Amino acid sequence: MTAWEAVIGIECHVELRTASKMFCGCQNEFGGEPNTKVCPVCLGMPGALPVPNMRAIDHMIRAGIALGSEIPAFSKFDRKNYFYPDMPKDYQISQYDMPLTQGGVVRYWLEDGTMKECRLTRIHLEEDTGKSTHAGSTDGRIAGSAYSLVDFNRAGVPLMECVSEPDIRSAEEAVAYLEALKRTFVQLGVSDVKMEEGSLRCDANVSIRPIGASEYGTKTEIKNMNSFRSVYRAIESEIERQIAIVESGGRVTQETRGWDEARGVTHPMRSKEQAHDYRYFPDPDLVPMEFNAATMEILRSTLPELPTARFERYTKQFGINVKQATQLVDNAQLADYFDQCVAACGNAHQCVNFVLGDLSRLSNESGTPVYYSNARPEYVAEVIDMLEKKIINSKIAKELIERIWEAAGSPRAIVEREGLSQTSDPGAVEGFVNDVLAANEKVVAEYKAGKTNVMGFLVGQVMKTSRGKADPALAGELLRKKLDAS
Ligand SMILES: [Zn+2]
């Protein structure tokens, strides 16, 4: 029995976040009444001339630099010729042999924290197409009852296409790779990457080969995957299909296949086009682009810390677990807040517990992001510092977090003003313990009869009697000593 491995490459289209479209002044915004965000340029009227959107080009170059791509000094736009009803010019402005970026590497991690790499072939810039809606009856019995509508609001929106090398080996890796791209683009501010609005769409090239083989098998290209879950299911299903064909003596056909979400299978769409089918040629309406080193340096200097670097800092330097590090990295503002808390108190572990625990809960309950709340990072640091120095116990710490969320100000001042510091004085705690034992004769008898799990209740009573100020560890120790002695 042959053991198979999958070889997967991903092509991923990402709409860029800009105020206007790629080659005209129309608004680049999702939705709206059909055909209201259009003009002669994006409708392909004769004589209308395109003007490139500099912001989109900046976004592309920043994305390329962030992913380690080479930015060639010269690049140009080409026409990709094909007919499609939602593409008014009958060609798409894209880039063929001189794209804005070449090469690069996407570093990503799996759920168990394993780091992986996938090389990029290129990232090029193009314009998006419009959208067709097919409506009416399609059973053919009533002539003219089936029709299609077209909306050109999306036509001409700047779109970057990231083409990967076939370095991915499983559906899990494909999703992790896409997540890394998504968080990188969000962090760079180049795209909002809203999959539900179609601003990230991807196709996967899938083939199989016996493990250990170096040549590639025949690949198929899967289209129509509109969520990371679809990507996972479609790739799994396609790998299974190809293995079944090859193991029963058949051959995989090179073709484009669509993903049927409802049935959970891929189906043939058309045979794969070759580049020459598109008759690419340089767009005569657009001059080539030229970049100098100084511009590159300016763009490079505006890059923030990237998600993968942040993930590695959290897991390696701070020892935070993969799940918590991922949660932080996926919310850049929360991660910035966390970094400020750590800078103020130096205790990453306590910070991650409060930030992802109580503070995130309060944020969910109130709808206010932690970053914009009253709980300033230096206040959280004060709570952690007092907890570390055993000035307060964890119960008071939790209360203080809620109070600084409600805008009570410095927790250190609250503790001083209200005398909340923990009572670690054995004499005082012993007094509380004695009171509790005297008031709970029945429970004491249960403990002596072997029901030692009532200890939690007794400690709770000591905390209550001391109004939360007793050191719970000391209270437990004294209770046990007294109960076991008598
Ligand atoms: Zn327009």
Side-chain angles (χ1 to χ4, degrees):
M1 186 90 177
T2 316
W4 301 96
E5 79 171 354
V7 175
I8 301 162
I10 305 263
E11 285 169 25
C12 169
H13 287 94
V14 183
E15 283 182 352
L16 295 174
R17 198 174 77 181
T18 53
S20 56
K21 291 187 181 179
M22 187 60 224
F23 298 108
C24 63
C26 292
Q27 205 186 3
N28 172 15
E29 196 186 60
F30 177 77
E33 279 293 299
N35 300 308
T36 51
K37 295 163 187 167
V38 291
C39 73
V41 175
C42 56
L43 286 177
M45 298 291 180
L49 290 172
V51 177
N53 183 331
M54 192 58 211
R55 174 58 61 90
I57 294 170
D58 278 359
H59 281 344
M60 283 283 301
I61 294 176
R62 291 176 78 236
I65 295 174
L67 296 170
S69 312
E70 185 204 333
I71 313 295
F74 289 93
S75 45
K76 65 176 170 70
F77 288 108
D78 300 282
R79 289 188 181 179
K80 181 179 181 181
N81 298 280
Y82 64 103
F83 173 78
Y84 212 75
D86 59 19
M87 202 173 57
K89 294 196 292 287
D90 290 346
Y91 64 82
Q92 180 185 26
I93 304 178
S94 182
Q95 297 193 283
Y96 181 49
D97 55 346
M98 294 178 76
L100 275 160
T101 86
Q102 299 262 23
V105 175
V106 177
R107 299 178 62 237
Y108 63 95
W109 63 93
L110 304 179
E111 253 175 56
D112 66 359
T114 312
M115 293 302 300
K116 291 269 174 182
E117 283 185 4
C118 176
R119 289 166 300 151
L120 285 172
T121 313
R122 57 193 268 162
I123 310 174
H124 66 251
L125 181 56
E126 57 189 28
E127 54 178 344
D128 209 344
T129 59
K131 253 186 198 168
S132 304
T133 306
H134 306 291
S137 161
T138 51
D139 65 9
R141 279 178 300 181
I142 307 162
S145 62
Y147 57 95
S148 293
L149 298 167
V150 69
D151 173 11
F152 291 117
N153 283 351
R154 201 181 67 180
V157 162
L159 195 64
M160 66 174 162
E161 179 170 348
C162 311
V163 182
S164 90
E165 292 288 308
D167 290 347
I168 293 165
R169 293 288 171 269
S170 66
E172 187 201 359
E173 286 185 16
V175 171
Y177 162 83
L178 286 168
E179 275 170 349
L181 274 189
K182 176 181 171 173
R183 50 172 81 92
T184 302
F185 296 150
V186 169
Q187 174 87 64
L188 291 172
V190 304
S191 174
D192 53 17
V193 198
K194 288 182 182 159
M195 291 198 77
E196 66 281 9
E197 295 182 0
S199 59
L200 185 151
R201 311 190 286 272
C202 47
D203 309 329
N205 288 296
V206 179
S207 63
I208 55 160
R209 65 182 176 191
I211 288 185
S214 55
E215 65 271 32
Y216 297 127
T218 305
K219 66 181 178 188
T220 58
E221 183 179 12
I222 318 172
K223 292 198 174 282
N224 299 349
M225 299 174 290
N226 49 20
S227 67
F228 287 169
R229 189 169 165 270
S230 305
V231 170
Y232 184 88
R233 292 178 64 215
I235 292 176
E236 286 273 284
S237 140
E238 181 59 14
I239 294 171
E240 247 174 64
R241 189 188 72 88
Q242 292 188 12
I243 292 175
I245 291 175
V246 175
E247 289 193 340
S248 61
R251 283 167 71 169
V252 174
T253 313
Q254 176 159 348
E255 62 187 354
T256 299
R257 299 180 68 85
W259 167 242
D260 184 332
E261 184 74 53
R263 290 171 52 226
V265 289
T266 64
H267 55 84
M269 285 172 80
R270 56 175 188 260
S271 62
K272 173 94 181 118
E273 303 86 352
Q274 302 292 324
H276 60 249
D277 294 332
Y278 293 120
R279 292 166 189 81
Y280 281 99
F281 65 84
D283 193 307
D285 291 338
L286 291 158
V287 292
M289 292 166 278
E290 185 179 350
F291 303 99
N292 59 35
T295 312
M296 294 299 135
E297 270 324 298
I298 290 168
L299 291 172
R300 191 186 299 277
S301 69
T302 64
L303 290 184
E305 181 185 32
L306 294 166
T308 303
R310 188 170 233 173
F311 174 82
E312 288 187 306
R313 180 162 64 84
Y314 287 173
T315 49
K316 288 184 185 154
Q317 196 178 320
F318 292 166
I320 297 174
N321 69 45
V322 173
K323 196 176 164 210
Q324 290 184 321
T326 306
Q327 263 177 286
L328 285 172
V329 167
D330 279 345
N331 184 339
Q333 276 186 339
L334 193 65
D336 288 344
Y337 179 92
F338 164 77
D339 281 337
Q340 290 166 23
C341 292
V342 177
C345 77
N347 187 328
H349 275 275
Q350 287 286 14
C351 288
V352 83
N353 289 338
F354 280 116
V355 169
L356 293 180
D358 291 302
L359 288 162
S360 290
R361 176 179 54 80
L362 290 163
S363 168
N364 289 339
E365 286 168 7
S366 63
T368 306
V370 176
Y371 191 81
Y372 294 111
S373 74
N374 297 312
R376 303 209 307 242
E378 59 268 31
Y379 291 163
V380 176
E382 280 182 21
V383 171
I384 291 171
D385 187 56
M386 290 189 287
L387 191 59
E388 282 289 290
K389 291 183 175 145
K390 294 196 178 351
I391 296 167
I392 55 169
N393 59 40
S394 56
K395 184 170 175 289
I396 300 282
K398 257 174 129 54
E399 271 176 38
L400 286 171
I401 293 288
E402 302 220 351
R403 292 182 61 185
I404 59 175
W405 187 271
E406 300 297 337
S410 159
R412 208 181 286 283
I414 301 173
V415 168
E416 277 164 23
R417 196 167 61 234
E418 302 180 17
L420 295 175
S421 34
Q422 171 166 271
T423 305
S424 314
D425 167 20
V429 179
E430 193 174 0
F432 297 131
V433 167
N434 286 339
D435 292 347
V436 167
L437 290 178
N440 292 282
E441 279 175 20
K442 224 177 111 195
V443 183
V444 169
E446 283 176 23
Y447 179 88
K448 289 188 173 162
K451 256 185 96 180
T452 49
N453 60 357
V454 297
M455 183 56 85
F457 169 79
L458 292 171
V459 173
Q461 291 302 302
V462 174
M463 297 309 291
K464 201 170 160 189
T465 311
S466 68
R467 289 178 35 240
K469 284 162 32 181
D471 174 351
L474 180 60
E477 194 185 308
L478 288 173
L479 276 168
R480 209 165 288 120
K481 210 187 252 171
K482 282 182 183 287
L483 286 165
D484 291 347
S486 57

